Amino acid sequence: MWGPWVADVPTQSQSQGSLPFETSAPATGAAAHALAARAMPAETGVWDELRGAAQALRPPWQAFAHSLPAPAGGMDLVDDLNRRVGQVEQRIRLDGVTHNVFTDAPDGGVATRPWSLELLPHLIEAADWKAIEAGVQQRAELLEQVLEDLYGPQKLLHEGLLPPALLLRHPGWLRPMIGVRPAGGQRLMIVAFDLARGPDGRWWQVAQRTQGPSGLGYVLHNRLVIARQFPDAFRDLHVQRIASSYRRLLDALEERAAEVAGGQTPRVVLLTPGPYAETYFEHAYLARYLGLPLVEGGDLTVRGERLYLKTVEGLEPVHGVLRRLDDDWCDPLELRPDSALGVPGLLQAARSGHVVMANALGSAFLESPAIQGFLPAIAQRLTGESLSLPALPTWWCGEAAAWRDVREHLDNKILRSTFPREGRTSRTMEKGREPQDEAVHDDPDAWTVQGRLRFSRAPIWGGGAVTPRPAMVRVYAIAEGKGRWHVLPGGMTRVAQREDASISMQRGGSSLDTWVLTDGPVDSFSMLPQRLQVDDILQRRRPVSSRTGENLFWLGRYTERTEQLVRLAKATLMLIDADAEAPAPLRLALSTLAVQTGLAPHGVPTLVKSARHFERAVLAALGDVKGGVSIAYNLVALERSAQGLRERLSSEQWGLIRSMGESFARAVVAPAGELPTLPQVLPALDRLALQLAAVTGAQTDRMTRDHGWRLLTVGRLLERLHGLTLRMEAFVDAGALGTVNGVELLLELFDSLITFRARYQRHEDLLAVTDLLVLDSANPRAFAGVLRRLRTELTKLPGLAEDLQDLLTLLPAEGAGLTLESLRDVDDADLAQRLNELALGLGDAAAALADRISARYFTLAQGADQRV
């Protein structure tokens, strides 16, 4: 599992840094010439970030080019940069960096796509950054004062500095929070400002985000990847590092949370909408970096106006929430009743001052574009200062005079919705005079006109050339306390494909690492304190939430279930394809097992009646993701469980789980109306078996043995016990163990054939089979072996001794409930009967134990039911 990164450019020994640093002798001025020569001309009337007068590289880019290492192996600069583009894409794939794109499908589908990151960074000079930093700090402080007034004395409304209709109609202004002083005293702890450089080189504010500003996780990963590609330039240009900004955010949260913790060690969590959120990867990445538990709404509960985390050990208090969930989804009791993402009673807990929220609920209305038009006057009233960072010219159409002034001059302006529409903070009105007039006439308050700014062009390397694209930078301000604000030196730069396209990752945008150059010393801060104290150690022992425990439990079950299905599918298909016909009892046993486990549908003729019909049914079911029990379905379910554990799984393990389903789906695909063939399917099953072995190894040997891992292991063992009992029942009922072929195939399904041959050579006695597959506690696939490990792991689960003993009573006290001595002088018919009864009893015990564990540890979790 990943730990927090301690610097912006990790050393080569850290686990994610498998791509080496690129270091060699610096290039000459030829690199600068090559960059300039390969750059396509920027449009007229825009600021070119790469070049200045006479198309010469600007000073920062000249310094960047001079710091580029000389290409190795006889390559020129073009080939070298193209190679680096490939390395960036490889790093993105290996780390599993994704974002979710919402499709236009009627069912509102979600597609997961790799994160888009460009090779060249966005360079911001020290003088420019100084102006940005001062302007962002001023605006962040102003927004805090605006919130303080509007939820307090409301002077801005009484004095006419903000129209009541603009505030009262916005769903983001929460009446339940009027007069409420938030815990910790700070309403905004992190604010994001989208900035762009205009044609004259000045920086302008385009938008602001105050609910749960996204992007901080991507900012971290972008820095990790791009700084590794250009370590010499990163050092020589004195790029300011960003680690201390994250430490400041965490310190500010914990300091305020400590005020409500009542002497306890404060617990802060990161609240996410869940795996289907647009930026879920960064939620998991940021939580891991900050060392915070990643939780969903269903993981939390309010009891007695206090917030608690549902864990496998019971309820544990939560004192601070860093949220990535928008306001209106946070509490279904008082906000959106249809929200399944929030926490019932969260508003009351916040009102009572028992939990610190970052940010406090009720700031969403500040994201309205109409607010920008009123902030200059509000700044004069509240601070006595003019805003140093200009915003786009804004006219709120609710003021008749403003609409009259701008109505005839809309060609270079944009008509935006004042209030949220279609799930977005603001939507742009379609072009055309008549539709715009009609919309404003029907509801003038709902529309705002903003000036159009031609964004500066950032250099993008691709295809052997530098292409200028419109760029916008998201800058983050972090509250430090006592009215002080810190601005993260850098941010999230996004570029659009073309000028008339939205600068949005949802609509094909891309991102750049943002380098802020400094004239002074570079911050060498590390996220880790110099020396950990006892309280630090205790705090870093992450609790296992009920949802996390359930996902781990099912991760183990789906892994084991899929592994058993693959082994059964291979055995069935190879038996059908064998030259000699297998005995009828064996064919009947496999037919029964295939139907029970979902490899074949109910009602299909058995292998005894029609082998070819049965084979076609098995081949058709392999890739069925909707059937509920097929291999493909279980791979999807396995990935879904792992998706909810992104903050706990290594990038390698997550990537392997994801690639298994993708590669298997590709391997078994066939033209429409046709079935995959055996030469196509059998190699795919072999590859999948190897991949599953790697996943099992990662679960067994590369995860911390906490309560979550114990639940994963218990889930895998219960699934194994259930599957093995099904196989034993099917073979005994069909009388398949009376033949050599039947014994060998059962041993193969138990993955014990090699051990059996080494121990018993050519003896296929039922007693020998019983000894190895039932009684041998050293065999991890025998009943006794599974039960031995299961009893051991159950005793280590959290809970009182008597509660754990209740779980253990469902299992035999020792071994498998059958001893070798008790089988003395028992004939094969009686032995088969005993095996059948034992398998049936253990199968029932496994099902009952799974129910008990779910009731004991997962009943507090919410969400879709897993497939039993």
Side-chain angles (χ1 to χ4, degrees), residues 771-788:
D771 177 48
L772 182 61
L773 302 188
V774 177
L775 306 177
D776 190 351
S777 61
N779 180 5
R781 301 280 172 172
F783 290 174
V786 175
L787 289 166
R788 177 181 60 81

Side-chain angles (χ1 to χ4, degrees), residues 40 116 129 170 187 246 248 328 383-384 429 441 449 461 479 493 502 572 600 627 653 659 664 688 721 729 737 824:
M40 299 175 63
S116 180
W129 182 252
H170 199 292
R187 298 181 187 274
Y246 293 85
R248 290 170 193 260
D328 54 344
T383 68
M429 179 64 181
H441 179 271
V449 177
W461 180 267
T493 298
S502 171
T572 302
Q653 189 173 169
S659 65
F664 185 74
L688 184 55
L721 183 60
E729 284 181 62
L737 295 181
R824 191 181 297 276

Side-chain angles (χ1 to χ4, degrees), residues 738-766:
T739 65
V740 173
N741 290 341
V743 170
E744 287 192 345
L745 191 48
L746 182 63
L747 289 166
E748 182 65 36
L749 293 179
F750 273 66
D751 195 16
S752 300
L753 182 59
I754 294 176
T755 303
F756 188 86
R757 287 294 173 226
R759 183 179 299 180
Y760 295 108
Q761 290 78 45
R762 299 304 302 175
H763 293 279
E764 279 83 21
D765 296 354
L766 187 56

Side-chain angles (χ1 to χ4, degrees), residues 337-349:
D338 62 335
S339 172
L341 305 175
V343 185
L346 184 59
L347 252 70
Q348 183 58 31

Side-chain angles (χ1 to χ4, degrees), residues 10-24:
T11 60
Q12 205 168 352
S13 63
Q14 289 175 304
S15 61
Q16 285 196 47
S18 58
L19 295 179
F21 278 87
E22 297 289 338
T23 55
S24 61

